Amino acid sequence: MSSNDLGDYRDVWVYCEHVDGELIRPTREIIAAARSVADLLSMRVVAIVLGYNLGDLVKEPVYYGADKVIYCDDHRLKDYLTLPYTSIVSDMVIKERPWALLFVANEMGRDLASRVAYRTLTGLAADLIDLKVEDFVAYTPQGKVTYPNLLAQIRPDFGTRIAKIFTPRHRPQISSVRPGNFKELPRDERRNGEVVRWEPRFSDDDFKVEVLESRYERRKETGLEDAKVIVSLGLGILRDSKGTVRNPREAYEMAQELVKLIRERFGVKAEVGASRALIYAELKELEGLVTKEMQVGQTGKTVAPDVYIALGISGALQHKVGMNRSKKIVAVNSDPNAPIFEIAHYCVVGDLYEVLPKFIEALRGE
Amino acid sequence: MLIITLFKGVPARTTRVVTIGGVLKREEMDIVMNPHDFKALEAADYIKRSVGGKLIALTMGPDVKLSPIVNSLFDAPIEGIDEGYVLSDRRMAGADTWATAYTVAKGIRKVVDVHVRPVETLISMVEGGAGTDELIGYCRELYNSNMLPNAIYSELPTIRNSTVTAFAKGELTREETLRRLRSSLEELRRFVVVAGIKTTDGETGSTGPQVAEALSEMNGGTIPSLTYVRDFDIHPEDGTIIVERKLGDLFQRLRSRLPCVLTISPEYRSRVPSVRSRKAALLRNYRCKVRRATIWNAGDIDADPSKIGLAGSPTIVGPGVDVGAPQVRKLVGVTKVCLRRVERFSLDGKTYGPFERGTKVDDLPHEVIEYLEERGDVGTFTLEMLIEEVFGVKRVVVERSG
Ligand SMILES: Cc1cc2nc3c(=O)[nH]c(=O)nc-3n(C[C@H](O)[C@H](O)[C@H](O)COP(=O)(O)OP(=O)(O)OC[C@H]3O[C@@H](n4cnc5c(N)ncnc54)[C@H](O)[C@@H]3O)c2cc1C
C-alpha cells in the first residue's frame, strides 16, 4: 500500500510457519530478527499464526520474543493453501497496517510472501541475510529525498558484494529472510504477550484450488545449519591431482572420519556437506551417502559455521552464497585459480587426497 | 488451449555484471535464457504434446538481446514454441518483482485477448445469422494468420469436422455450432502460464505467484498459482489441472481450476503423452508456427506507465557494498608468517612489530621479511600451521555472537 501517511504504519510482523505443533526453527530465528529491528524503533513484534486446532501453539511466538500474536484457527486452514492464506494475511495487513512483515525464505514463505506483497501493493525483498535500520537517500529529478529509518533489507549480490534493498514509499516493507542468519532467542515461558483471535472472511475464489493430499515427508536430518564445523566435498574427489580416477567413497570416508574426530576432540557439532555438482552426479559409490539434504548453496542450505572446509569445490557463485559467511573458510583445490580461493581465509593449492589424510593424522595425534 | 511460457534473460556470466546505481544494465551484457526456465519450457511443451494448443513464449527485456533467444526456441530440442513475444520498452527497465509481474501480466492479457477476440466475433457473426460463405471467408483469413484452432476451422485433410466446416456442410445446426464455438471460447479463456522456479540473477520464485496475482486483479477473479510443481495432469476439457508439488517437506496433491500459473520445480521430468490424447491435441493446435518474435512496447500492452519499470517498482536497490575478500588470507606454501612472537625491532631506522605468532608479514618491505627469515622468525605457512590455527581448540569452540 502506498500512502502519504507512512507514519501510521507500526510494528514488525512475522509470519509463523509451524509443523506438528511447533514453530519451525527459521521462524524462531526471524522472530529474533524482528525483535532486533523493533527494539531500535520502539515498535512491537507481532506474530501471525494460521492453522487449525492450534491449541497452545499460539503462545509459542511470545516465548520466543514476540509481543503480540494474531492467530486464525479454522478448519479450512488445516492444510496450507496459497489462496486462503494470502487472503487472510492480506486482510490483516490492510486492516492493521504493519511497518514491516517478515517471512522465512523457504518454499512456503516465498510462495505466500509473493502473493501477499502484490495484493497489498507493496515491495518484496527476497532471500535476505541481514536486516538493519537505515536512512535511505534517493536522488530524484525533484532533488534529494531522505527517507529516515527504513528497513535495510540486505541480500547477497553478485560475487563478494551485498545489496541493500529499500522499500521507501510503500508499507509494509515485506521481506523473506533466509534460514541460518539469525540466532533464535532462548524460549522463555515467563514472557507475556497479547494473544488475539482473528475471524477469517473467505470468498469462493479462495478455494479454486482443493487439496487432494497434503502431508509432511520427513527428510533425513543433516543438521548442517547448526554445525560448528562443516567438511564439504565437491566434484574434485573424482580424481587425484595426477589425474588418476579415485573411488569417491575414499574421500567420503575420510571426510566422515575427519568430522568424527572433530566431534570427539572438540565436542562440537561437525557434519559433512557437498556441492550441488557432486550430489547431481548421482555417483553409484555414494548412493544414499551424499544426498540432497547435504547440499550447500543457493538451492541448498545456507550455512555459517565456525569452520568450513571446502575440498575439491571450485567455488561457483551459487555455492559461495551458501557459505561465505562462515567464520573461517579453508579451501583445498588443485587449481590455483579456483574462485573458492577468493573468499577463503586459508588456501591450500594441492591435492585433497594428500591433504585430507594430514588433517586426520593431525587430529588423531596425541 | 493457450500455453504461455515465461522466460527471463539473465547475464551469461554472473561475475562480470555491469551495475549502475544498482540496476542491471542488460544491454551491455551477454544474455542467455535463465536455466530454470528450460524446465518451464519442457513442461509447456509436454502440455502442448499431450493436450494440444498454441505454445507461446513471452519475455520482457531489451528486444535486441531477447529476440535471438526467442527465435532459437522455435527449433528447441523439444517440439519448440509456436509464437514468441518480447515486451521491450526503455520504460520497462529497472523493474522489480512487482513491476515485472504487472508488465508480464499485461502482456499475457494481451496475448489472450488477441486470441479470444476473433472467436467472440465469429460467435456474434453466427448469432447474427451470417451466411456460410461469409463465415468461411472470415475463418480462412484467421486460420491462415494462425488465430483459429483446428477445432473451429481447419484445412488439414485429417480434420474433417471442425465446427465451422461442419456447419457450412449442413452437418451442424446453428444452435449446435454456437454451443461448440462457445465451449472453444471457454477453453481459450482457460489458459495456462508456465514459469521457472527462480532466476540465476536474483529473483527467487516470486514471478509466478505475483503474475497470478496481477492477472487476478486484471481479470476480476482469482487466478491460482501453483509453485514448485513436480508433476501434473491437465484437463482442458473440464478446465482443471491436478498437480503434485513439494514445499520443503510438505508434499501436496492439489486440484486447481484453469486458468492458472504454474512454476515448475527443477525436479520436474516430463512424461510421454499417451497416444489416446493425440487426436484431441491436434484439434487444439493452430496451423503453423509464426517464426518471428513479436515485439510489444508499453503502449501495445496498454500498461500504465506509473506501474512499470523503475517508476513502478516499490523496492529500490541501494548502493551495493563490496564485502570483499577476507582481510587475512593465508596460502599454504606461499604466505610468509611469523613462526614465533616477534618483539618490536628496528631496521634501517624504522621500527616494526611486535607481531604475534602466525601473523602474516607478506605486506612488509622485502628487506624486513628477509631479515626476519634470516633470524628464523619468519617462515612459509605450512599445512601443519593451518591445522593448528584452524583447529586450535580455542578457535573451534568459540560461540557465535548474537
Ligand atoms: C540455478 C543454480 C543453482 C545452483 N545452486 C547450487 C547450490 O546450491 N550449491 C552448489 O554447490 N552449486 C549450485 N549450483 C551449481 C554451481 O554452479 C556449480 O556447478 C557447482 O557448485 C560446482 O560444484 P563443484 O565445485 O563440486 O564442481 P566443479 O566446479 O567441477 O569443481 C571441482 C573442483 O575440484 C578441483 N579439483 C579436482 N581434483 C581435485 C583434487 N584431487 N584435489 C583438490 N581439488 C581438486 C577442481 O580444480 C575444481 O575447482 C547451482 C547452479 C545453478 C545454475
Side-chain angles (χ1 to χ4, degrees), chain A residues 76-95:
Chain A
R76 287 164 295 187
L77 300 176
K78 181 167 154 287
D79 300 306
Y80 172 76
L81 269 179
T82 313
L83 296 176
Y85 273 62
T86 300
S87 287
I88 294 173
V89 176
S90 302
D91 284 351
M92 288 175 170
V93 163
I94 290 163
K95 174 139 188 296

Side-chain angles (χ1 to χ4, degrees), chain A residues 157-209:
Chain A
D157 198 359
F158 295 98
T160 55
R161 292 164 66 82
I162 55 161
K164 290 182 183 170
I165 315 284
F166 294 94
T167 307
R169 296 158 291 141
H170 300 72
R171 297 287 181 275
Q173 302 159 82
I174 300 186
S175 335
S176 66
V177 181
R178 281 213 210 165
N181 287 295
F182 286 88
K183 201 175 173 145
E184 63 185 283
L185 299 170
R187 188 172 182 279
D188 182 356
E189 286 198 26
R190 289 163 309 177
R191 280 188 50 98
N192 287 317
E194 190 188 347
V195 177
V196 182
R197 188 184 175 106
W198 178 274
E199 288 309 325
R201 280 178 322 157
F202 295 112
S203 74
D204 289 347
D205 262 18
D206 288 336
F207 299 97
K208 276 193 170 169
V209 178

Side-chain angles (χ1 to χ4, degrees), chain A residues 233-244 246 274-279 295-301 308 310-322 332-340 348-354, chain B residues 34-36 198-200:
Chain A
L233 301 173
L235 268 190
I237 67 172
L238 296 185
R239 285 166 195 272
D240 61 29
S241 57
K242 288 177 212 79
T244 315
R246 301 292 281 246
S275 74
R276 176 157 106 157
L278 182 62
I279 293 163
Q295 183 182 323
V296 173
Q298 184 184 308
T299 43
K301 305 257 161 72
Y308 186 92
L311 299 163
I313 292 178
S314 58
L317 175 70
Q318 296 91 351
H319 188 82
K320 286 198 278 195
V321 298
V332 181
N333 197 304
S334 47
D335 173 6
N337 298 317
I340 190 77
V348 187
V349 178
D351 187 350
L352 69 94
Y353 280 98
E354 283 165 24
Chain B
N34 167 37
H36 284 290
K198 56 165 92 170
T199 69
T200 48

Side-chain angles (χ1 to χ4, degrees), chain A residues 283-298:
Chain A
L283 303 172
K284 196 124 200 64
E285 296 87 344
L286 299 177
E287 207 178 312
L289 299 175
V290 171
T291 55
K292 243 195 138 288
E293 295 76 39
M294 293 163 69
Q295 183 182 323
V296 173
Q298 184 184 308

Side-chain angles (χ1 to χ4, degrees), chain A residues 16-35:
Chain A
C16 297
E17 187 181 336
H18 51 92
V19 180
D20 294 339
E22 262 183 62
L23 299 179
I24 62 168
R25 193 172 56 90
T27 289
R28 306 194 302 254
E29 289 170 8
I30 63 169
I31 294 174
R35 183 80 269 159

Side-chain angles (χ1 to χ4, degrees), chain A residues 328 330 346 348 358-359 362, chain B residues 330-340 357-360 376-392 395:
Chain A
K328 288 220 152 23
V330 182
Y346 296 99
V348 187
K358 290 196 187 150
F359 280 159
Chain B
K330 295 183 187 172
L331 265 87
V332 168
V334 177
T335 303
K336 301 281 187 217
V337 294
C338 294
L339 303 174
R340 58 178 75 100
R357 176 182 151 87
T359 305
K360 179 175 169 178
D377 284 339
V378 154
T380 307
F381 188 61
T382 63
L383 194 58
E384 288 65 35
M385 292 171 170
L386 183 158
I387 292 168
E388 189 189 315
E389 269 191 32
V390 172
F391 294 111
R395 282 178 207 279

